[in-house]
Amino acid sequence: MAITLSDYNSKRPIKGLPKAIEPPTGTTVQGLKKLIALQTGLSDFNRIGLYNSSTSKPLKDRNLRIDDLAIDDRLLVKDLGPQVAWRTVFVVEYLGPILIHMAFVAARGHVWSNAGAMSTTQWLSFAMIVGHFVKREMETLFVHKFSANTMPARNIYKNSFFYWALSGVLCAWNIYGPRSLAATADLPVMDYLGLAIFLFGETGNALVHLHLSSLRAPGSTERKIPTGYGFALVTCPNYMYEVLSWVGVIVTSRSWAVAVFIAVGGAQMFQWALGKERAYRKEFGDKYKKKRYVMLPGLL
C-alpha cells in the first residue's frame, strides 16, 4: 500500500521528503519512521513525527501496524527536532537534587559563616530527600518502561530546572541554614512521625511502580488495567504516595520550600492523572471502573 506523505508544516518542509512511500506489509509506525528517516537523511528516526491527515493527531503507538490504521493512505510528517531518550532525561533531572544537597551540606561553612554543626533534624531531612531521588534513579534505570522512545531535547532543560531549582537549591538553602526550623528543631517526635509517613509513601510508590512495570512486556506499548496498591481509590496511586512521601519530608524538615516544591509538582501530577483517567476510559470502556478521584481520595 502506497502512502502519500505531506509536510505537517509547509513553512518548514523536511528536505528530501518523498511524495509517497510503500512500506512492506506489517510495517509498524516506528518502522515507517525509520524508512522515512533513511530517505530524508535524518540520522535519528525519533525526529520523525507522523500525523493522521484527517485529524492532525499524532500516531503515538510505535508498535501499531500501518495496515491497521485508518489513515486514508495519507500521512502528515514533521521534523520534531533533536531528541533525547526519556530515561536520560529522568536520570539527569533526578541527579541534580542529589548533587545539590550534597554540595550544600559539604560547603555549609562557606555558604553560611556561622553554620556550626548540622542538627539531627537537618541530617534526617538530608537523608530523606537524597534517598528519595536515589530511589527514583534506581527506578528509572531498572523499573520504568517507557511508551515513547524520546522527547524533544529542549525538555531536558525545562524538566531539570524544576527539580534542580526547587527541590535542589531552594530546599537545600531553606533546610541547611543555621537559623532554619530544621536547625533549631527540638521535637524529635515530629522527626520520627515525618520519617514514618515518608517511608510509608516511598514504599507504596515503589510497589505501584513495580506493579505498573510488570503489566508491560519489554519494548511493548500495550496497556493493561492496574489493580491493587491503591488503584481502587484513585487513578494514579503512585502520585498519591509521592505526595504522601513529601508530606513526611515537610513534617520532618519544617520547610516551607519543600511545601512549595510539592505544591507545584502536585499540580502537574494532577493534570497527568486526569489525562491517565481519560485514557483508561477511552481505551478500556466498560471494562474499566471509572474513578471519581484521580490522585488524592476525597480531594483530587
Side-chain angles (χ1 to χ4, degrees):
M1 176 183 72
I3 300 174
T4 302
L5 303 178
S6 302
D7 281 293
Y8 183 90
N9 188 347
S10 59
K11 294 182 179 179
R12 298 181 61 184
I14 299 176
K15 186 177 180 180
L17 180 68
K19 293 183 178 180
I21 193 168
E22 190 167 353
T25 301
T27 299
T28 62
V29 169
Q30 179 166 290
L32 182 57
K33 288 183 178 183
K34 291 180 178 180
L35 291 175
I36 295 174
L38 185 64
Q39 294 198 27
T40 56
L42 289 174
S43 58
D44 182 7
F45 72 88
N46 290 299
R47 291 183 61 144
I48 298 293
L50 299 178
Y51 299 80
N52 188 307
S53 61
S54 301
T55 63
S56 295
K57 291 184 177 180
L59 306 184
K60 293 183 178 181
D61 189 343
R62 65 177 183 269
N63 292 330
L64 200 61
R65 287 161 44 104
I66 297 297
D67 302 336
D68 299 331
L69 295 174
I71 55 174
D72 299 327
D73 299 339
R74 184 169 178 263
L75 286 173
L76 301 178
V77 186
K78 182 180 181 181
D79 181 358
L80 301 175
Q83 300 288 298
V84 62
W86 274 82
R87 201 177 306 276
T88 300
V89 174
F90 280 17
V91 167
V92 170
E93 65 187 30
Y94 299 151
L95 182 61
I98 296 173
L99 298 179
I100 289 169
H101 280 264
M102 287 182 171
F104 264 86
V105 169
R108 283 183 78 246
H110 300 285
V111 178
W112 296 280
S113 58
N114 59 337
M118 287 206 340
S119 70
T120 300
T121 300
Q122 286 177 311
W123 277 115
L124 184 56
S125 300
F126 169 78
M128 292 164 72
I129 293 172
V130 171
H132 170 81
F133 285 108
V134 168
K135 166 186 165 292
R136 281 202 169 188
E137 293 284 35
M138 294 300 100
E139 290 175 335
T140 297
L141 294 173
F142 304 112
V143 177
H144 292 323
K145 295 171 183 173
F146 302 97
S147 58
N149 291 328
T150 62
M151 67 169 70
R154 63 181 179 275
N155 285 7
I156 197 170
Y157 302 105
K158 178 183 67 176
N159 291 21
S160 295
F161 177 80
F162 168 68
Y163 284 102
W164 290 42
L166 293 188
S167 65
V169 175
L170 182 64
C171 289
W173 179 269
N174 182 249
I175 292 171
Y176 306 127
R179 296 183 180 179
S180 70
L181 292 178
T184 58
D186 59 355
L187 195 61
V189 67
M190 279 191 67
D191 295 348
Y192 300 131
L193 174 62
L195 178 61
I197 296 171
F198 171 80
L199 291 175
F200 178 78
E202 290 291 292
T203 301
N205 181 264
L207 289 173
V208 171
H209 286 161
L210 288 168
H211 176 59
L212 290 172
S213 180
S214 72
L215 297 179
R216 178 176 289 172
S220 172
T221 57
E222 180 185 2
R223 275 196 291 218
K224 298 179 182 178
I225 300 175
T227 57
Y229 306 103
F231 282 101
L233 299 174
V234 293
T235 310
C236 297
N238 48 326
Y239 297 157
M240 174 181 69
Y241 290 122
E242 174 89 3
V243 171
L244 195 59
S245 293
W246 285 103
V247 168
V249 178
I250 293 170
V251 172
T252 295
S253 67
R254 288 82 157 168
S255 172
W256 61 264
V258 177
V260 169
F261 163 69
I262 194 54
V264 175
Q268 178 61 74
M269 285 188 282
F270 177 60
Q271 294 302 316
W272 288 335
L274 286 174
K276 184 70 72 174
E277 176 68 16
R278 287 192 294 267
Y280 282 148
R281 292 184 183 187
K282 180 179 179 180
E283 184 171 353
F284 298 111
D286 294 337
K287 294 180 181 179
Y288 175 72
K289 184 178 180 181
K290 298 178 181 179
K291 305 296 191 307
R292 181 177 180 182
Y293 302 105
V294 297
M295 192 172 81
L296 298 177
L299 295 175
L300 300 173

